[in-house]
Amino acid sequence: MNQFKKMIAENIAEELENFTAEEIFDWIENPPNSDLGDYAFPCFRLAKSFRKAPQAIASELADKINLNDHFLKAEAIGGYLNFYFNRSKLAKTILSKVLEEKENFASSNLGDGKVICIDFSAPNIAKPFHVGHLRSTVIGSSLYKIYTHLGYECIGINHLGDWGTQFGKVIVAYKNWGNEERVRQEPIQGLLDLYVKFHEESEKNPALEDEARDWFVRMEKGDEEALSLWKWFSNETINELQKIYKLLGVHFDHYTGESFYNDKMQPVLDDLKTKNLLKESEGAILVDLEPYGMPPCLVQKKDGSTLYATRDITAAIYRKKTFDFAKCLYLTDYSQNLHFAQWFKVVELMGYEWSQDLEHVPFGRVTHEGRRIQSRKGTVVLLEDVINGAIEKVTEIIEEKNPELDNKEETAIAVGVGAVIFNDLSHNRIKDISFSWDTAFSFDGETGPYVQYTHARAGSVLRKANVQEDNWHPEINGAYLEDEVSNQVIRQLETFGDAIQDAMNKNEPSILTRHIVDLAQSFNRFYHDHPILVEDVAVRETRLALVIAVKEVLKLGLSLLGIKAPERM
Ligand code: ARG
């Protein structure tokens, strides 16, 4: 919680009997420009209970209010009570706080150890791990980090699509055209090629479809040959996935894919039956959701096999029992909105109150040069190609601009991967993204490399000044940071914690992305306008303190997005 807004709210609450500081806190706004103060309290909604014009209320409050020494004045303008910071005092407080708290800056115990399950990434084995899954992976991973920073215990779950009819197809293709070596070397691409090959061949020879179905039935019945191929395909894929996750800096606490629930669904189906929720329709079994304006939720097919929804219901019940989550988030694109709405309703109808703690966090689709990404025919941009492409591109740039750099390879990975993640997280999640090679790797403007470069630039100033960040206690005199440009940097540090909380409340990491781009831009303005390594020791120490603080917060912000901050680039 923003401590300054809290101070304002408490001060106002002292003057207003009928309103609590919490209510007032929520009403406080950020004025559009600094002439109107740094925070503003609108008095319009008090007009009725006070039987007075908002401007009169604001004026009375302005006279009475007891200001804390972080504020210079409170002024009534147009029905608002506007608060103006004592810039010098604010600068000193904020910089000291960042320097002391470092990577724990803006952390909190808000979560109080409550458990948040985050179900993310979840690609389908033997189908492409494409840039569409990148969104789920990076948004989920960032939320994991953000919630953790705010005191929650996060459990990251990879609900892999490791069961389903695609395995029947891949087994047929492998037996006809497969090659063991290939699957071992490049499982993701190798299995995808088999999957695509199957679809080409089955168009000419529809009997293959029946064969594939047979193999899947054999899997479901526990046939040894079918299961051992399946297990092998899965293990090879998971190994390769883990390499990609490692490159992306993504961590999962559990790899419990759909197959994990194979032996856990029957009790759930029984329970649904006991609770009188099941209906039969043409041999299939479903939960009628007509009263809720939704199509029925199918839980068992005619042939007795279960469905995606059955596994999701079972998984949710299992997770509640195992982790006792306060919230369970699901990251998929919005084409699955109905799927989640349906089975969340089923869980509610089963009488589980915690169904309201299940939350689908949808995001927009990724199109590639205007077309939807699909797996059958092969218009896919594989995630691995994107990442490797980015790393190659960065390597070229480094060779051109800074060939003397140490750790070239490590830096190229950090910057290339950072560019990909940042590009994704700078879009409001619900928007569709058109993926193009050019914008993903752009190094100008509001991009990951720009923020990383700003961080490295701050580091280079500190090296020039011979300052050991961790071990230096500068004398901070906020009076040197009262000008507009410096103050803007200070304000962005001050509101950094609000951005994190807002990002968490809305499950929207792009709020944080935007904030650190703004911070990087203001810092670059500061750097341009104010020489740092000046003679005057007092000025120099204060400006260096700001440089350290900005560097620290950029690094923290990047890390909450899942991006590294190299010292040099
Ligand atoms: N494997 C699914 C897909 O690629 C996503 C799974 C999301 N998680 C879940 N519990 N349904 O579309």
Side-chain angles (χ1 to χ4, degrees):
M1 190 185 269
N2 183 307
Q3 54 165 324
F4 300 106
K5 263 163 87 170
K6 195 166 155 234
M7 283 177 195
I8 293 178
E10 281 164 1
N11 289 346
I12 297 177
E14 267 174 38
E15 310 301 327
L16 301 178
E17 271 170 25
N18 299 329
F19 299 92
T20 64
E22 286 76 34
E23 283 171 292
I24 293 169
F25 182 93
D26 288 335
W27 295 343
I28 296 172
E29 297 176 10
N30 298 320
N33 67 61
S34 61
D35 292 347
L36 297 173
D38 297 304
Y39 286 113
F41 176 65
C43 297
F44 306 97
R45 44 187 122 203
L46 304 179
K48 213 163 173 195
S49 44
F50 283 75
R51 296 162 178 267
K52 265 185 206 156
Q55 177 60 19
I57 301 171
S59 302
E60 268 172 42
L61 277 174
D63 291 341
K64 280 198 277 185
I65 202 149
N66 226 328
L67 281 180
N68 167 297
D69 65 352
H70 275 93
F71 293 96
L72 277 186
K73 57 175 179 174
E75 226 171 51
I77 303 177
Y80 284 90
L81 183 58
N82 296 335
F83 292 83
Y84 296 77
F85 270 124
N86 173 339
R87 290 183 170 185
S88 156
K89 174 100 183 153
L90 177 73
K92 180 158 175 139
T93 301
I94 291 295
L95 293 183
S96 311
K97 208 169 157 61
V98 179
L99 265 50
E100 191 190 312
E101 297 179 351
K102 305 206 167 70
E103 70 273 16
N104 293 322
F105 178 65
S107 66
S108 84
N109 50 11
L110 189 75
D112 196 18
K114 284 198 224 60
V115 173
I116 307 288
C117 288
I118 308 182
D119 175 318
F120 67 109
S121 195
N124 304 312
I125 291 179
K127 292 186 182 179
F129 187 15
H130 54 62
V131 288
H133 288 113
L134 175 66
R135 301 218 71 195
S136 178
T137 308
V138 303
I139 298 171
S141 174
S142 173
L143 291 178
Y144 188 111
K145 291 171 164 124
I146 290 172
Y147 275 91
T148 304
H149 198 67
L150 297 180
Y152 290 88
E153 186 196 330
C154 290
I155 309 228
I157 303 172
N158 199 338
H159 191 74
L160 293 163
D162 63 355
W163 198 257
T165 47
Q166 81 263 29
F167 284 96
K169 297 174 184 174
V170 173
I171 292 176
V172 171
Y174 179 72
K175 287 185 146 290
N176 283 310
W177 313 286
N179 159 344
E180 185 176 335
E181 206 36 44
R182 177 84 209 284
V183 175
R184 267 190 219 295
Q185 301 253 295
E186 277 189 294
I188 295 180
Q189 187 62 47
L191 293 174
L192 175 63
D193 288 349
L194 288 174
Y195 183 73
V196 172
K197 176 87 177 156
F198 177 88
H199 282 278
E200 280 163 18
E201 295 292 330
S202 67
E203 267 175 33
K204 292 178 253 163
N205 177 7
L208 289 172
E209 293 280 358
D210 294 330
E211 254 181 72
R213 248 190 302 276
D214 269 3
W215 274 104
F216 184 56
V217 172
R218 284 171 71 172
M219 272 170 63
E220 296 229 277
K221 294 212 168 113
D223 174 276
E224 223 174 280
E225 186 188 359
L227 283 184
S228 83
L229 280 168
W230 162 76
K231 195 77 225 159
W232 177 51
F233 293 156
S234 298
N235 287 342
E236 294 287 349
T237 305
I238 291 173
N239 282 341
E240 194 181 350
L241 283 174
Q242 281 176 328
K243 285 184 210 147
I244 301 178
Y245 291 137
K246 191 161 174 231
L247 206 56
L248 287 171
V250 169
H251 164 79
F252 292 96
D253 299 288
H254 299 280
Y255 283 83
T256 36
E258 295 190 37
S259 69
F260 180 75
Y261 302 98
N262 280 351
D263 62 352
K264 299 176 179 58
M265 282 180 283
Q266 195 52 51
V268 174
L269 289 169
D270 295 343
D271 192 24
L272 281 162
K273 188 161 182 192
T274 318
K275 290 176 172 157
N276 250 330
L277 292 167
L278 298 183
K279 273 194 182 164
E280 223 192 286
S281 163
E282 298 171 23
I285 299 181
L286 51 80
V287 180
D288 179 21
L289 296 176
E290 201 177 337
Y292 314 100
M294 287 186 276
C297 181
L298 215 57
V299 293
Q300 192 176 322
K301 285 197 233 166
K302 225 175 18 203
D303 62 9
S305 59
T306 52
L307 292 107
Y308 185 41
T310 330
R311 288 188 276 279
D312 261 332
I313 295 166
T314 308
I317 293 170
Y318 172 85
R319 289 172 192 173
K320 183 65 192 177
K321 260 198 215 125
T322 314
F323 307 117
D324 194 22
F325 56 74
K327 241 194 306 188
C328 184
L329 308 179
Y330 296 84
L331 284 288
T332 78
D333 80 36
Y334 58 65
S335 69
Q336 298 194 32
N337 282 358
L338 179 61
H339 164 74
F340 284 99
Q342 284 175 304
W343 76 259
F344 286 178
K345 193 70 187 176
V346 173
V347 176
E348 183 191 326
L349 294 173
M350 290 177 90
Y352 294 122
E353 266 169 43
W354 50 265
S355 70
Q356 65 201 43
D357 305 325
L358 303 170
E359 196 176 333
H360 182 215
V361 181
F363 50 81
R365 299 251 187 99
V366 184
T367 55
H368 177 226
E369 255 107 59
R371 271 182 306 174
R372 249 199 76 198
I373 286 165
Q374 48 165 297
S375 50
R376 293 226 175 143
K377 302 244 168 64
T379 43
V380 290
V381 179
L382 287 174
L383 183 56
E384 230 189 326
D385 296 343
V386 175
I387 297 172
N388 290 334
I391 295 171
E392 266 165 43
K393 177 133 183 170
V394 176
T395 308
E396 276 166 31
I397 296 177
I398 292 177
E399 286 303 340
E400 187 191 309
K401 294 203 171 149
N402 195 359
E404 304 297 304
L405 186 71
D406 294 337
N407 301 329
K408 265 190 251 183
E409 206 184 312
E410 208 180 302
T411 309
I413 294 176
V415 177
V417 169
V420 172
I421 298 178
F422 202 96
N423 175 64
D424 193 301
L425 293 182
S426 55
H427 298 85
N428 197 318
R429 70 174 150 76
I430 207 66
K431 289 214 179 106
D432 288 339
I433 304 187
S434 170
F435 181 83
S436 95
W437 289 90
D438 291 343
T439 47
F441 304 129
S442 158
F443 286 74
D444 311 315
E446 304 179 354
T447 67
Y450 170 74
V451 177
Q452 286 173 320
Y453 182 70
T454 307
H455 168 270
R457 165 182 267 179
S460 111
V461 174
L462 298 178
R463 280 194 297 277
K464 250 184 237 148
N466 240 328
V467 161
Q468 239 73 47
E469 289 158 68
D470 292 336
N471 216 341
W472 190 57
H473 304 283
E475 191 62 48
I476 300 168
N477 184 342
Y480 299 126
L481 300 172
E482 286 185 339
D483 66 284
E484 214 47 56
V485 171
S486 310
N487 181 245
Q488 183 146 40
V489 177
I490 299 294
R491 286 300 313 281
Q492 268 151 357
L493 296 174
E494 184 242 329
T495 49
F496 178 73
D498 297 349
I500 299 180
Q501 275 196 26
D502 207 17
M504 182 197 80
N505 289 334
K506 297 181 177 139
N507 293 317
E508 182 69 79
S510 66
I511 294 171
L512 184 58
T513 315
R514 224 167 297 137
H515 197 91
I516 62 173
V517 166
D518 289 346
L519 175 60
Q521 285 171 341
S522 331
F523 174 72
N524 284 323
R525 228 169 289 133
F526 170 86
Y527 180 85
H528 178 266
D529 287 9
H530 298 297
I532 294 163
L533 303 178
V534 291
E535 288 285 299
D536 184 329
V537 178
V539 175
R540 186 168 69 201
E541 288 212 359
T542 298
R543 289 191 182 149
L544 280 169
L546 179 143
V547 176
I548 298 179
V550 169
K551 178 166 184 278
E552 197 67 64
V553 171
L554 288 178
K555 182 171 174 177
L556 170 60
L558 286 169
S559 91
L560 293 174
L561 298 173
I563 299 173
K564 295 211 172 85
E567 284 301 313
R568 296 162 204 253
M569 34 188 297

